Short mmCIF file of all heavy atoms in Angstrom, two decimals:
data_model
loop_
_atom_site.label_atom_id
_atom_site.label_comp_id
_atom_site.label_asym_id
_atom_site.label_seq_id
_atom_site.Cartn_x
_atom_site.Cartn_y
_atom_site.Cartn_z
N ILE V 368 5.04 2.63 -0.18
CA ILE V 368 5.02 2.15 -1.57
C ILE V 368 6.51 2.13 -2.05
O ILE V 368 7.21 3.09 -1.81
CB ILE V 368 4.15 2.96 -2.51
CG1 ILE V 368 4.11 2.29 -3.88
CG2 ILE V 368 4.52 4.44 -2.55
CD1 ILE V 368 3.02 2.87 -4.80
N VAL V 369 6.89 1.04 -2.64
CA VAL V 369 8.22 0.92 -3.20
C VAL V 369 8.01 0.65 -4.69
O VAL V 369 7.37 -0.32 -5.08
CB VAL V 369 9.02 -0.26 -2.58
CG1 VAL V 369 10.34 -0.46 -3.27
CG2 VAL V 369 9.19 -0.04 -1.08
N VAL V 370 8.59 1.50 -5.55
CA VAL V 370 8.51 1.36 -7.00
C VAL V 370 9.93 1.30 -7.56
O VAL V 370 10.69 2.26 -7.37
CB VAL V 370 7.73 2.51 -7.64
CG1 VAL V 370 7.62 2.32 -9.13
CG2 VAL V 370 6.32 2.63 -7.01
N ILE V 371 10.25 0.17 -8.23
CA ILE V 371 11.59 0.02 -8.80
C ILE V 371 11.43 0.13 -10.35
O ILE V 371 10.79 -0.74 -10.97
CB ILE V 371 12.19 -1.35 -8.44
CG1 ILE V 371 12.11 -1.59 -6.92
CG2 ILE V 371 13.64 -1.41 -8.94
CD1 ILE V 371 12.96 -0.74 -6.06
N ASP V 372 11.94 1.17 -10.90
CA ASP V 372 11.88 1.43 -12.31
C ASP V 372 13.01 0.75 -13.06
O ASP V 372 14.21 1.02 -12.73
CB ASP V 372 11.89 2.92 -12.58
CG ASP V 372 11.56 3.32 -13.98
OD1 ASP V 372 11.10 2.49 -14.78
OD2 ASP V 372 11.79 4.51 -14.38
N GLU V 373 12.70 -0.10 -14.00
CA GLU V 373 13.66 -0.90 -14.80
C GLU V 373 14.67 -1.63 -13.91
O GLU V 373 15.89 -1.40 -13.98
CB GLU V 373 14.35 0.02 -15.79
CG GLU V 373 13.47 0.64 -16.82
CD GLU V 373 14.19 1.48 -17.85
OE1 GLU V 373 15.42 1.29 -18.05
OE2 GLU V 373 13.50 2.30 -18.48
N PRO V 374 14.19 -2.52 -13.02
CA PRO V 374 15.08 -3.25 -12.14
C PRO V 374 15.97 -4.22 -12.89
O PRO V 374 15.68 -4.65 -14.02
CB PRO V 374 14.11 -4.01 -11.23
CG PRO V 374 12.86 -4.16 -12.02
CD PRO V 374 12.79 -2.92 -12.89
N HIS V 375 17.07 -4.59 -12.27
CA HIS V 375 18.01 -5.58 -12.77
C HIS V 375 18.04 -6.76 -11.81
O HIS V 375 17.62 -6.60 -10.65
CB HIS V 375 19.44 -5.00 -12.94
CG HIS V 375 19.43 -3.78 -13.82
ND1 HIS V 375 19.27 -3.87 -15.15
CD2 HIS V 375 19.60 -2.46 -13.52
CE1 HIS V 375 19.30 -2.66 -15.71
NE2 HIS V 375 19.52 -1.78 -14.72
N ASN V 376 18.51 -7.90 -12.20
CA ASN V 376 18.51 -9.09 -11.35
C ASN V 376 17.12 -9.47 -10.91
O ASN V 376 16.87 -9.67 -9.74
CB ASN V 376 19.44 -8.89 -10.13
CG ASN V 376 20.86 -8.57 -10.50
OD1 ASN V 376 21.38 -9.14 -11.51
ND2 ASN V 376 21.51 -7.69 -9.81
N GLY V 377 16.24 -9.54 -11.82
CA GLY V 377 14.81 -9.90 -11.59
C GLY V 377 13.99 -8.65 -11.80
O GLY V 377 14.47 -7.53 -11.81
N TYR V 378 12.70 -8.85 -12.05
CA TYR V 378 11.82 -7.69 -12.26
C TYR V 378 10.46 -7.81 -11.61
O TYR V 378 9.70 -6.86 -11.51
CB TYR V 378 11.65 -7.43 -13.80
CG TYR V 378 11.03 -8.56 -14.57
CD1 TYR V 378 9.62 -8.69 -14.66
CD2 TYR V 378 11.81 -9.49 -15.22
CE1 TYR V 378 9.07 -9.75 -15.39
CE2 TYR V 378 11.26 -10.52 -15.92
CZ TYR V 378 9.89 -10.63 -16.01
OH TYR V 378 9.34 -11.65 -16.75
N TYR V 379 10.16 -9.00 -11.03
CA TYR V 379 8.87 -9.11 -10.33
C TYR V 379 8.88 -8.29 -9.03
O TYR V 379 9.90 -8.18 -8.36
CB TYR V 379 8.60 -10.56 -9.97
CG TYR V 379 8.31 -11.45 -11.17
CD1 TYR V 379 9.21 -12.39 -11.56
CD2 TYR V 379 7.13 -11.28 -11.89
CE1 TYR V 379 8.92 -13.24 -12.67
CE2 TYR V 379 6.86 -12.08 -12.99
CZ TYR V 379 7.78 -13.03 -13.38
OH TYR V 379 7.52 -13.81 -14.46
N GLY V 380 7.73 -7.71 -8.75
CA GLY V 380 7.63 -6.91 -7.49
C GLY V 380 7.97 -7.73 -6.27
O GLY V 380 8.54 -7.23 -5.31
N SER V 381 7.67 -9.07 -6.31
CA SER V 381 7.97 -9.92 -5.19
C SER V 381 9.45 -10.07 -4.95
O SER V 381 9.88 -10.26 -3.81
CB SER V 381 7.34 -11.31 -5.42
OG SER V 381 7.86 -11.89 -6.62
N VAL V 382 10.24 -9.90 -6.00
CA VAL V 382 11.69 -10.09 -5.91
C VAL V 382 12.42 -8.80 -5.66
O VAL V 382 13.31 -8.73 -4.82
CB VAL V 382 12.19 -10.75 -7.23
CG1 VAL V 382 13.73 -10.80 -7.23
CG2 VAL V 382 11.61 -12.15 -7.41
N VAL V 383 12.02 -7.72 -6.36
CA VAL V 383 12.78 -6.44 -6.27
C VAL V 383 12.22 -5.44 -5.31
O VAL V 383 12.99 -4.61 -4.80
CB VAL V 383 12.93 -5.82 -7.66
CG1 VAL V 383 13.74 -6.74 -8.61
CG2 VAL V 383 11.61 -5.42 -8.28
N ALA V 384 10.92 -5.47 -5.02
CA ALA V 384 10.33 -4.42 -4.17
C ALA V 384 9.90 -4.85 -2.82
O ALA V 384 10.03 -4.11 -1.83
CB ALA V 384 9.15 -3.76 -4.93
N ALA V 385 9.40 -6.07 -2.70
CA ALA V 385 8.92 -6.57 -1.36
C ALA V 385 10.04 -6.59 -0.34
O ALA V 385 9.82 -6.14 0.79
CB ALA V 385 8.31 -7.95 -1.54
N PRO V 386 11.25 -7.02 -0.68
CA PRO V 386 12.36 -6.98 0.35
C PRO V 386 12.68 -5.52 0.76
O PRO V 386 12.98 -5.28 1.94
CB PRO V 386 13.55 -7.66 -0.37
CG PRO V 386 12.92 -8.51 -1.41
CD PRO V 386 11.70 -7.77 -1.86
N ALA V 387 12.56 -4.61 -0.14
CA ALA V 387 12.82 -3.16 0.23
C ALA V 387 11.76 -2.68 1.19
O ALA V 387 12.03 -1.93 2.12
CB ALA V 387 12.86 -2.33 -1.04
N PHE V 388 10.51 -3.08 0.92
CA PHE V 388 9.36 -2.70 1.83
C PHE V 388 9.70 -3.24 3.24
O PHE V 388 9.55 -2.55 4.23
CB PHE V 388 8.08 -3.29 1.34
CG PHE V 388 6.91 -3.08 2.30
CD1 PHE V 388 6.10 -1.99 2.15
CD2 PHE V 388 6.70 -3.96 3.34
CE1 PHE V 388 5.06 -1.79 3.04
CE2 PHE V 388 5.69 -3.76 4.25
CZ PHE V 388 4.83 -2.70 4.11
N ARG V 389 10.13 -4.54 3.31
CA ARG V 389 10.43 -5.14 4.60
C ARG V 389 11.49 -4.31 5.33
O ARG V 389 11.39 -3.97 6.51
CB ARG V 389 10.89 -6.54 4.43
CG ARG V 389 11.22 -7.25 5.78
CD ARG V 389 11.79 -8.63 5.61
NE ARG V 389 13.05 -8.57 4.91
CZ ARG V 389 13.32 -9.28 3.81
NH1 ARG V 389 12.42 -10.11 3.30
NH2 ARG V 389 14.49 -9.14 3.18
N ALA V 390 12.58 -3.94 4.67
CA ALA V 390 13.69 -3.20 5.26
C ALA V 390 13.22 -1.82 5.70
O ALA V 390 13.53 -1.39 6.85
CB ALA V 390 14.85 -3.10 4.29
N ILE V 391 12.48 -1.14 4.88
CA ILE V 391 11.99 0.21 5.19
C ILE V 391 10.99 0.08 6.38
O ILE V 391 11.07 0.89 7.32
CB ILE V 391 11.32 0.87 4.01
CG1 ILE V 391 12.34 1.16 2.91
CG2 ILE V 391 10.57 2.12 4.38
CD1 ILE V 391 11.73 1.47 1.54
N GLY V 392 10.08 -0.85 6.31
CA GLY V 392 9.10 -0.99 7.36
C GLY V 392 9.68 -1.33 8.69
O GLY V 392 9.30 -0.72 9.67
N GLN V 393 10.66 -2.28 8.71
CA GLN V 393 11.27 -2.59 9.98
C GLN V 393 11.95 -1.37 10.62
O GLN V 393 11.75 -1.13 11.81
CB GLN V 393 12.36 -3.68 9.76
CG GLN V 393 11.86 -5.10 9.70
CD GLN V 393 12.95 -6.09 9.56
OE1 GLN V 393 13.71 -6.04 8.59
NE2 GLN V 393 13.02 -7.07 10.45
N ARG V 394 12.71 -0.67 9.80
CA ARG V 394 13.43 0.50 10.35
C ARG V 394 12.47 1.62 10.79
O ARG V 394 12.63 2.22 11.85
CB ARG V 394 14.35 1.03 9.23
CG ARG V 394 15.33 2.08 9.68
CD ARG V 394 16.35 1.41 10.65
NE ARG V 394 17.38 2.33 10.97
CZ ARG V 394 18.54 2.43 10.33
NH1 ARG V 394 18.75 1.66 9.29
NH2 ARG V 394 19.47 3.25 10.75
N ALA V 395 11.43 1.87 9.98
CA ALA V 395 10.49 2.92 10.29
C ALA V 395 9.69 2.62 11.56
O ALA V 395 9.47 3.45 12.40
CB ALA V 395 9.55 3.19 9.13
N LEU V 396 9.28 1.36 11.75
CA LEU V 396 8.55 0.96 12.95
C LEU V 396 9.40 1.10 14.19
O LEU V 396 8.88 1.51 15.28
CB LEU V 396 8.03 -0.45 12.82
CG LEU V 396 6.92 -0.64 11.83
CD1 LEU V 396 6.61 -2.14 11.55
CD2 LEU V 396 5.62 0.10 12.21
N MET V 397 10.68 0.83 14.06
CA MET V 397 11.60 1.09 15.21
C MET V 397 11.68 2.58 15.49
O MET V 397 11.59 2.98 16.66
CB MET V 397 12.99 0.49 14.91
CG MET V 397 13.00 -1.01 15.03
SD MET V 397 14.66 -1.80 14.92
CE MET V 397 15.74 -0.53 14.27
N GLN V 398 11.84 3.39 14.47
CA GLN V 398 11.95 4.84 14.66
C GLN V 398 10.64 5.39 15.27
O GLN V 398 10.70 6.31 16.08
CB GLN V 398 12.18 5.54 13.34
CG GLN V 398 13.57 5.33 12.75
CD GLN V 398 14.63 6.06 13.54
OE1 GLN V 398 14.39 7.17 14.00
NE2 GLN V 398 15.77 5.42 13.69
N LEU V 399 9.49 4.85 14.82
CA LEU V 399 8.18 5.31 15.36
C LEU V 399 7.89 4.70 16.73
O LEU V 399 6.86 5.02 17.33
CB LEU V 399 7.08 4.99 14.36
CG LEU V 399 7.15 5.70 13.05
CD1 LEU V 399 6.14 5.09 12.09
CD2 LEU V 399 6.87 7.20 13.21
#
Side-chain angles (χ1 to χ4, degrees):
I368 184 168
V369 176
V370 180
I371 312 292
D372 189 13
E373 297 183 22
H375 303 289
N376 301 323
Y378 59 87
Y379 291 111
S381 59
V382 173
V383 298
F388 174 95
R389 181 184 62 235
I391 293 165
Q393 278 182 303
R394 190 67 173 268
L396 290 170
M397 286 187 345
Q398 290 288 324
L399 294 170

